[in-house]
Amino acid sequence: MGNDQAKKDLKIILFLCSWGPHAAFQQLQDKDCRIPAQVKMVRIPCSGRVSKALLFKPFEMGADGVALIGCGSGACRYGVGSITAERNTADTRRILDLLGLSRKRLRLAAFSPEDPQGLLDFLNDFVEEVAAIGKSPVQRPSKPEQPADSKAVIKEIIQKHDVYACQDCGKCSSACSLTLAGKQYSPRAMANAIIGGKLDDPQVQKDVWACLTCGICYDRCPSAVNFPEFIRDVRAVLKSSNGNGNEAHGGFFGSLARTMTSPELKGRHWHWLPEDIKTDAQSKVLFFGGCAPYFDVFFKNHLAPATLDSLKDSLRLLNFFDVHPILLDDERCCGHDLLWTGDRENFLKLAKLNIEAIAESGAEEVIVSCPEGYRTFVKDYPEAGLEMPFKVTHIHEFLEREISKGSVGFKPLDKKITFQDSCRLSRHMEMTDSARKLINRLAPESFTEMQDSGAGAICCGNCGWSGCDSFSKALQVKRLRQAKETQGDLLVTSCPKCQVHLRCAMQDPFFGKDLEIEMMDLTSVMAKTICWE
């Protein structure tokens, strides 16, 4: 394909503010100016109204470039639109860099009604710049295929998870974190409604997407009905029929994961890696980090999470034990969130790409620090019929294995600590002891469990970036109050999403100050105190 044809095939989305810039654009149309044919205009009320999710969505759908055009600083009719647009654009450009798409594919500019020629020059220049970068490697992701007979599929799902065994005893409802947070919500009632053929009921569908899939109902169920996995499979049917996933943050993280299903995408997942961390492409151990780099960028303006620290400190701990692991430059999402929000087709694409990349690396052992990634590799990939020519170890297991060999100690830690269990490790994988073994090796001022801990721990309020609402916030507030009641001053976590969600509650304008507590991932606490004896 020649350069002219490649340039002609470019797809560029122009988000254009309805005020000054649109007046300039209209003048170009009125004068029949040659606006580049590659540019498709989307009229918006204000550049500040275009969220990071909306800025990113065209890239998921295969756009080669996106331009956001607003009013100049001080001219925005909404006051802070220009400032918000600058922040959203900067964050989205950093995410494009992480994905290896190039930040140059996204531009922000401002034009007044008096400058139509400036707008036209900008558009022509942007088309030339995108042409120089080339076509995006992102292929438009496929949509889940709708089953021919949804009712028959639901019946199979009910049988698969033996939901008929529900005794209607109500133990699930009495333990459900959402119910205890005040939401009118009952797992058993939802199960009975779906058995009774009421999946089309709007309230039932809302409840399906509200479930945290935290697993505490399964832990308490006397009939061992695996309600979280039942809900997960029901969501796949709903997703294929109406596409609604009740996704938080405008569906950004679903878009991100689906974008990564393109085989030709060559990411730059580890380009932020500090120089003191040692890696080795010939190692037999591979470290799989997960999506934390994207969380830090996406939430940095209002939550300031430090989820990258868990990756850096996991790697520092591996180095401490002379393990210099392989890192995949183009590491992709494990697919956890797609699987749990009903997008099984794209989950499988990610799974196959991950397994293929790890197998090609020659690694014999994969160490994972993210609880969701660990469950996905150890349980969900094999259950999907995928073979993995390597073993998977959680970082806690690795650390306990190495530390138990002796000669390792920990410097005193001047903190009173408590611990937040992650749902995926504690209940889904029955790993409540591994973190506590490590905590008991530390030398803190004290360690006190929260009121609900281990297999009975309360969820951080959200899973799969789906169903976040006021009851999720109530749950987070309740959990932080439990942490404060221990008189602790350091809340130790094991999941990057627990960090994000609990920090969100600390931003509450009414309770935030009372809820504030220092948080740190267990790997970070260990990396800061571990020493040879």
Side-chain angles (χ1 to χ4, degrees), residues 433-477:
D433 292 339
S434 56
R436 286 170 175 79
K437 285 181 181 176
L438 295 174
I439 288 172
N440 287 329
R441 290 182 180 279
L442 299 172
E445 193 174 323
S446 66
F447 168 51
T448 306
E449 295 275 17
M450 283 190 268
Q451 180 181 334
D452 300 295
S453 61
I458 294 177
C459 173
C460 68
N462 192 259
C463 176
W465 306 112
S466 174
C468 184
D469 61 13
S470 59
F471 296 101
S472 298
K473 176 62 74 64
L475 199 54
Q476 292 154 4
V477 169

Side-chain angles (χ1 to χ4, degrees), residues 89-325:
T89 305
D91 291 350
T92 308
R93 296 184 88 196
R94 287 185 64 190
I95 286 164
L96 294 176
D97 270 348
L98 282 169
L99 282 170
L101 279 175
S102 174
R103 62 173 55 208
K104 293 180 180 177
R105 292 186 187 274
L106 174 60
R107 267 204 201 180
L108 171 68
F111 290 96
S112 67
E114 294 78 24
D115 193 12
Q117 186 59 46
L119 175 59
L120 184 60
D121 292 344
F122 168 87
L123 293 175
N124 282 316
D125 182 63
F126 187 46
V127 169
E128 291 295 334
E129 182 163 18
V130 174
I133 302 169
K135 289 284 293 175
S136 167
V138 176
Q139 299 174 3
R140 189 171 183 147
S142 51
K143 291 183 178 179
E145 189 174 340
Q146 186 171 359
D149 188 346
S150 296
K151 290 183 179 178
V153 174
I154 289 291
K155 190 174 180 180
E156 288 175 10
I157 292 170
I158 292 169
Q159 291 173 337
K160 173 184 172 184
H161 297 290
D162 199 17
V163 185
Y164 291 119
C166 171
Q167 300 176 35
D168 206 19
C169 66
K171 287 187 177 179
C172 54
S173 302
S174 65
C176 174
S177 298
L178 279 179
T179 309
L180 295 177
K183 193 179 183 75
Q184 287 191 335
Y185 182 87
S186 167
R188 69 180 171 88
M190 193 188 340
N192 288 336
I194 295 172
I195 289 173
K198 296 180 180 177
L199 183 59
D200 292 336
D201 185 300
Q203 186 59 49
V204 173
Q205 293 199 8
K206 282 178 68 177
D207 287 348
V208 166
W209 290 110
C211 176
L212 300 173
T213 69
C214 70
I216 199 164
C217 53
Y218 179 37
D219 186 70
R220 305 294 166 84
C221 178
S223 299
V225 176
N226 194 331
F227 190 73
E229 294 191 2
F230 166 63
I231 287 296
R232 181 195 65 194
D233 292 351
V234 171
R235 285 177 177 177
V237 176
L238 292 178
K239 190 83 171 182
S240 64
S241 60
N242 59 30
N244 176 27
N246 194 21
E247 295 167 293
H249 307 296
F252 170 82
F253 291 103
S255 284
L256 182 68
R258 283 187 290 275
T259 300
M260 294 186 202
T261 61
S262 295
E264 300 303 318
L265 188 69
K266 301 298 179 188
R268 300 175 67 235
H269 192 79
W270 295 100
H271 79 112
W272 49 268
L273 199 67
E275 291 183 357
D276 66 304
I277 292 173
K278 297 175 183 174
T279 62
D280 179 2
Q282 303 304 313
S283 174
K284 294 299 178 186
V285 177
L286 182 145
F287 180 73
F288 190 91
C291 296
Y294 298 97
F295 300 166
D296 270 26
V297 175
F298 191 86
F299 296 108
K300 75 179 180 64
N301 289 322
H302 62 290
L303 297 181
T307 51
L308 268 184
D309 288 351
S310 65
L311 302 191
K312 294 174 191 169
D313 290 324
S314 292
L315 289 166
R316 289 192 174 107
L317 288 166
L318 291 175
N319 286 178
F320 180 86
F321 290 106
D322 289 330
V323 175
H324 302 162

